[in-house]
Amino acid sequence: MVETPPLPHRPVPAGGCPHAENAGLLARGAVAPVVLPGGIEGMAVLGHEALKEFLQLPEAAKNARHFTALSEGRIPVGWPLLTFATVRGMTTADGDDHRRLRGLVSRAFTPRRVAELRPWIEELTDALLDDLERAAVEGGGVADLRRHFALPLPMEVICELLGVDAEFRHRLHHLSSQVVATDTEPGAAVAANRELVAVLAAVAAARAERPGDDLTSALIAARDEDGDRLGQEELIGTLVLMIIAGHETTLNLVTNAVRALCGHRDQLALVRKGEADWADVVEETLRWDAPVSCFPFRYPVRDLTVDGTVIPAGTPVLAGYSAAGRDPAAHGPDAGRFDVTRPARPDAVRHLSLGHGAHYCLGAPLARLEATVALERLFHRFPALDLAVPEDRLAPLAGFVGNSVQALPVRLST
């Protein structure tokens, strides 16, 4: 009897907790066919070792000129994942173009530069904890930690680095959350992308008129001094990427870490006894509940075989970070357990949640610093902090790209 191949997986555009689906897919293999919104055929690389290999392949391109369905005109205007493919910036560039664009912003995110930001980030964190406490008082003892703490911390930091005036910040988060959602209606997706570009063009215009010691001013100088280094479309595309990647992922990371610690008080106790530190919490959260579940896209420039599965040239491929983080083949039979004392893997690659290879997350040092400072000061200030509702009542984010919850109601004291 000929065995019937399993039907392609259809990621739910409205989102949900990815871990049960990931476990089922991993049981069938490290690479899975998927059907994206609009019936677009794709693949997802889910296993840790397979994803680590795939992310390093030079034949797995980021430039959407290799995206067959797009070049054939089969991707409609308003497709919810279109921005991931077409925004002009380092995440959609390969080779020399990628190195050029990455080089223009990399100095703002070096470990040394990030370390210099620590005192200011600590001060900002303490001010936001004051805001969180006020919100809890006004809310009868309950406050949304995501809204009042996990969101404004990375948003304030990335906007300060970019020189984004305060008047734009709330709108930028609203628009970026629409752009990364996978269930946005076509008309709303088009409108959100247009407005996001318009707002960031206004930000750039303000910095061009009043240059400062910020990344946007530096990018404008690079554009004006030598257009071959950075074009106008690449300038705006870079700002889009910086705003989205600079706050959405850290927002999810802090939210998910607080959820994990509230649900695993024994692990929190280990940190308080000094048997693990807050950096361990951050790394285990990145592995166990990755802030990005499936990241779009890479496109094979030729047919590639990954873990025995052929991925045809031109196929849009999702990087399955949340699945790889709980892959039993890489992390053992207890991969689904949150353990802040988990020993490092022999290859020292504990997780892939910040990417791997040439496109490894440029902002990784900053995200780690923000999350570590946030968690340490949060639980020092409010040692009895706990969820105000059961975990299963927390609504997941819309979409299968980001992985977190829409709100995190907490009680700061018992």
Side-chain angles (χ1 to χ4, degrees):
M1 176 182 287
V2 177
E3 185 175 344
T4 303
L7 294 174
H9 175 60
R10 291 180 177 267
V12 179
C17 178
H19 300 301
E21 285 186 349
N22 287 341
L25 291 170
L26 280 169
R28 302 195 321 226
V31 182
V34 298
V35 178
L36 301 169
I40 303 300
E41 294 181 354
M43 302 287 277
V45 182
L46 307 164
H48 176 97
E49 292 300 331
L51 183 57
K52 181 182 173 186
E53 173 194 349
F54 181 73
L55 292 175
Q56 297 180 92
L57 292 175
E59 301 91 347
K62 296 285 283 180
N63 193 309
R65 66 187 177 88
H66 301 288
F67 185 180
T68 300
L70 182 63
S71 63
E72 292 178 350
R74 292 190 281 119
I75 303 297
V77 174
W79 192 54
L81 295 164
L82 189 59
T83 298
F84 290 101
T86 59
V87 65
R88 292 287 301 277
M90 71 186 77
T91 63
T92 55
D94 300 305
D96 289 343
D97 272 344
H98 173 249
R99 285 185 286 273
R100 169 177 59 86
L101 293 167
R102 191 177 178 99
L104 287 169
V105 300
S106 60
R107 282 178 293 180
F109 298 98
T110 63
R112 179 178 178 180
R113 172 64 177 133
V114 168
E116 292 171 351
L117 295 173
R118 175 181 279 273
W120 172 64
I121 290 175
E122 291 175 341
E123 182 179 339
L124 173 61
T125 299
D126 289 340
L128 291 172
L129 290 174
D130 291 340
D131 293 343
L132 179 66
E133 187 168 27
R134 280 192 291 270
V137 171
E138 294 170 1
V142 175
D144 180 359
L145 184 137
R146 184 176 175 89
R147 174 186 172 189
H148 294 286
F149 182 65
L151 165 60
L153 176 60
M155 193 66 176
E156 291 292 319
V157 171
I158 193 61
C159 285
E160 191 69 22
L161 290 177
L162 290 173
V164 176
D165 293 334
E167 64 188 275
F168 297 115
R169 297 179 184 183
H170 175 74
R171 192 64 187 160
L172 284 173
H173 168 65
H174 173 74
L175 293 169
S176 67
S177 64
Q178 287 187 290
V179 168
V180 301
T182 52
D183 66 343
T184 306
E185 292 297 323
V190 170
N193 275 280
R194 285 177 179 168
E195 187 178 352
L196 181 60
V197 167
V199 172
L200 290 172
V203 169
R207 294 283 65 80
E209 184 177 333
R210 303 184 307 278
D213 183 19
D214 57 74
L215 185 53
T216 302
S217 296
L219 291 171
I220 290 169
R223 178 200 65 184
D224 293 345
E225 292 168 9
D226 183 358
D228 290 338
R229 291 183 66 205
L230 186 73
Q232 174 65 14
E233 191 177 355
E234 289 177 329
L235 167 64
I236 299 302
T238 298
L239 294 180
V240 169
L241 295 171
M242 290 291 100
I243 284 291
I244 293 176
H247 89 280
E248 290 281 354
T249 51
T250 308
L251 162 60
N252 291 348
L253 171 58
V254 172
T255 303
N256 292 357
V258 173
R259 290 168 56 213
L261 291 170
C262 288
H264 301 82
R265 309 300 292 196
D266 60 323
Q267 300 299 302
L268 179 58
L270 291 175
V271 179
R272 287 178 167 150
K273 289 188 292 186
E275 296 179 25
D277 59 31
W278 294 105
D280 294 321
V281 174
V282 170
E283 296 308 308
E284 181 66 351
T285 302
L286 285 165
R287 181 200 71 83
W288 185 74
D289 206 13
V292 175
S293 186
C294 288
F295 191 76
F297 288 116
R298 293 179 189 242
Y299 320 93
V301 300
R302 60 175 177 80
D303 290 359
L304 296 176
T305 300
V306 178
D307 198 56
T309 298
V310 175
I311 305 178
T315 301
V317 182
L318 299 171
Y321 294 126
S322 63
R326 295 197 186 189
D327 181 3
H331 302 291
D334 69 341
R337 183 167 63 90
F338 182 74
D339 178 6
V340 297
T341 65
R342 185 177 296 274
R345 287 171 42 84
D347 60 5
V349 179
R350 183 164 180 171
H351 58 77
L352 299 167
S353 297
L354 295 170
H356 194 64
H359 284 270
Y360 181 77
C361 177
L362 190 63
L366 181 58
R368 285 184 163 112
L369 174 61
E370 290 174 335
T372 302
V373 169
L375 295 170
E376 180 178 13
R377 295 176 104 81
L378 173 69
F379 282 97
H380 176 76
R381 174 94 169 254
F382 306 114
L385 182 145
D386 207 350
L387 300 185
V389 299
E391 170 77 24
D392 59 9
R393 285 180 52 193
L394 298 174
L397 285 182
F400 54 79
V401 177
N403 172 44
S404 192
V405 292
Q406 295 179 25
L408 191 67
V410 297
R411 293 188 183 278
L412 302 183
S413 60
T414 55

